[in-house]
Amino acid sequence: MSKRNDFSITNDMKTYLDKALKANQSINLTRVTDIDQAILLHLEDSLAVSEEFSKAPDGLYADLGSGGGFPGVPLALSFNRKTLLVDSVKKKMTVVSNILSEMNLSNLIETYDGRIEELAKERPKAFSVLTARALTSLPSLLELASPLLQQEGILIALKSKEEDDFDNVSLENKLGMRKVNKRSYHLSDGVTYRTVYTFEKYKDPEVKLPRRLGMAQKRPYLQ
């Protein structure tokens, strides 16, 4: 296990964070309000998966369940990659979109205020890399991600704890997603623990995806 400190926080990232924290006074974008904690838990935490992100194939990036724009905005800025922030809470996405517009970043980073299953129907196989931070369980997340990803696209799942050392070959075969790496580390405070899982889409799923709204979370494919 390693401590993560090989990241570069830019002025644009700090400006975005400052604006998000200011907006947080009127709409709940984040539970973190202290600036130093926000730098650690939003900027550093986002950039800690740069190692995995850098290995993604070229193409469009989407951050699922993006909330206040993390890890999507820092990763988009760090890698200058065309990005879509996805969250079903319209008010959050409106605020985030306004901040991006103020910063003249709308050409690089766009927002989508709908369900992931809806996006998969609108833009199947459109993305080369997805991230999701503390969004849902890995079985549910794999199901949501599979129809969005192009062949050889990757899903990067950021977790605050390990999920029973996830290893489910049957589920992976069914969804066309296989685990390629798991890495655990501490952030620079030496205390905050993280695990990142990386999955690759290696074939089309054996089941029809996406299913009805909410099914991936309520009854994920476990067998």
Side-chain angles (χ1 to χ4, degrees):
M1 187 184 303
S2 62
K3 181 188 288 189
R4 295 296 301 177
N5 54 20
D6 52 341
F7 54 88
S8 178
I9 294 175
T10 66
N11 288 333
D12 276 351
M13 296 176 197
K14 290 180 179 179
T15 298
Y16 177 84
L17 180 62
D18 287 341
K19 289 180 177 293
L21 291 180
K22 183 177 180 179
N24 198 60
Q25 297 172 13
S26 57
I27 182 172
N28 183 26
L29 291 179
T30 172
R31 290 175 294 179
V32 182
T33 57
D34 176 78
I35 184 61
D36 291 332
Q37 280 294 99
I39 289 173
L40 176 75
L41 298 177
H42 287 323
L43 299 187
E44 181 183 336
D45 194 28
S46 298
L47 296 174
V49 299
S50 294
E51 176 182 330
E52 287 76 14
F53 198 89
S54 66
K55 297 174 183 176
D58 292 338
L60 190 59
Y61 159 46
D63 182 30
L64 307 181
S66 191
F70 305 103
V73 172
L75 287 171
L77 294 174
S78 183
F79 288 86
N80 194 35
R81 185 185 280 252
K82 187 74 174 176
T83 296
L84 183 67
L85 307 179
V86 181
D87 200 284
S88 61
V89 182
K90 184 177 179 64
K91 289 182 179 179
K92 288 185 179 182
M93 287 294 91
T94 298
V95 171
V96 169
S97 181
N98 289 340
I99 295 173
L100 295 171
S101 180
E102 290 174 12
M103 295 180 64
N104 296 315
L105 292 173
S106 298
N107 288 335
L108 179 67
I109 309 171
E110 298 179 348
T111 61
Y112 179 87
D113 56 0
R115 297 289 294 267
I116 297 169
E117 297 95 330
E118 295 169 332
L119 179 63
K121 290 181 179 179
E122 295 173 22
R123 305 180 71 173
K125 301 181 181 180
F127 301 91
S128 64
V129 55
L130 304 172
T131 56
R133 185 171 75 155
L135 178 59
T136 187
S137 68
L138 287 177
S140 299
L141 189 54
L142 288 175
E143 179 178 336
L144 292 170
S146 181
L148 287 167
L149 283 171
Q150 65 184 42
Q151 204 82 346
E152 298 183 353
I154 66 170
L155 164 69
I156 302 169
L158 296 78
K159 297 289 186 179
S160 59
K161 59 183 179 180
E162 297 181 20
E163 291 199 13
D164 299 323
D165 196 18
F166 182 86
D167 190 9
N168 191 321
V169 175
S170 175
L171 177 64
E172 292 179 351
N173 285 336
K174 188 172 292 186
L175 300 179
M177 302 281 294
R178 62 186 171 199
K179 186 177 76 175
V180 294
N181 192 44
K182 184 190 83 168
R183 181 171 60 88
S184 298
Y185 51 89
H186 286 101
L187 298 182
S188 63
D189 62 353
V191 176
T192 305
Y193 178 84
R194 293 289 186 262
T195 297
V196 56
Y197 293 84
T198 306
F199 296 87
E200 179 189 42
K201 184 174 181 180
Y202 70 100
K203 67 172 186 175
D204 287 335
E206 297 174 358
V207 293
K208 186 177 180 180
L209 297 175
R211 290 192 287 166
R212 296 195 313 273
L213 293 178
M215 289 296 292
Q217 289 91 341
K218 293 177 183 177
R219 278 189 281 168
Y221 289 111
L222 293 175
Q223 301 298 328

